Amino acid sequence: MIGNENHRITLAEAAELTANFRNAPLAIVAAVLTGLKGEALGKNDIDTLLQQPGCTGTRIYFGLQLLPIPKFRLILVGVDANDNDLVNGILLDHGKLCPPACGISNVLNS
């Protein structure tokens, strides 16, 4: 069940994941994305991210975890009215990847 998990990560973790993605050879990115359909994050952490002072929306960055095996990651950060990342605020990751956690078959995941 999704909703109450803790998806928070530190700025240092987020910076490493996004740098890994930006610097990875295309072949590694393609291999990691093969078969991946999506990622789910719980409502509580998303609500908390959006309720930060000055937050008007969210930006989603692509990340790459290299060890123990390469995995694609999504990193969410709040943005302000000037389109600036709220890097000193809440950062989210560690969602449930689909597959294996895809729920029932539908037009988005099948």
Side-chain angles (χ1 to χ4, degrees):
M1 185 170 151
I2 197 152
N4 295 315
E5 301 83 3
N6 181 356
H7 299 291
R8 295 182 188 198
I9 61 171
T10 67
L11 180 57
E13 290 172 302
E16 179 180 355
L17 292 168
T18 57
N20 288 347
F21 182 84
R22 289 190 310 273
N23 298 323
L26 185 56
I28 291 176
V29 172
V32 169
L33 290 174
T34 300
L36 188 62
K37 299 176 183 181
E39 184 172 340
L41 294 157
K43 178 183 181 200
N44 291 341
D45 275 345
I46 292 173
D47 284 348
T48 302
L49 181 140
L50 292 171
Q51 292 171 8
Q52 296 176 97
C55 185
T56 60
T58 186
R59 179 170 287 117
I60 302 171
Y61 283 100
F62 303 125
L64 183 62
Q65 171 187 320
L66 296 175
L67 298 172
I69 60 170
K71 287 185 183 177
F72 180 72
R73 307 307 308 179
L74 295 176
I75 294 88
L76 282 73
V77 60
V79 295
D80 66 18
N82 295 314
D83 204 26
N84 295 314
D85 294 335
L86 300 174
V87 294
N88 292 317
I90 295 169
L91 297 156
L92 302 178
D93 180 35
H94 301 300
K96 291 184 177 182
L97 293 176
C98 167
C102 296
I104 61 171
S105 180
N106 65 65
V107 296
L108 297 178
N109 67 23
S110 299

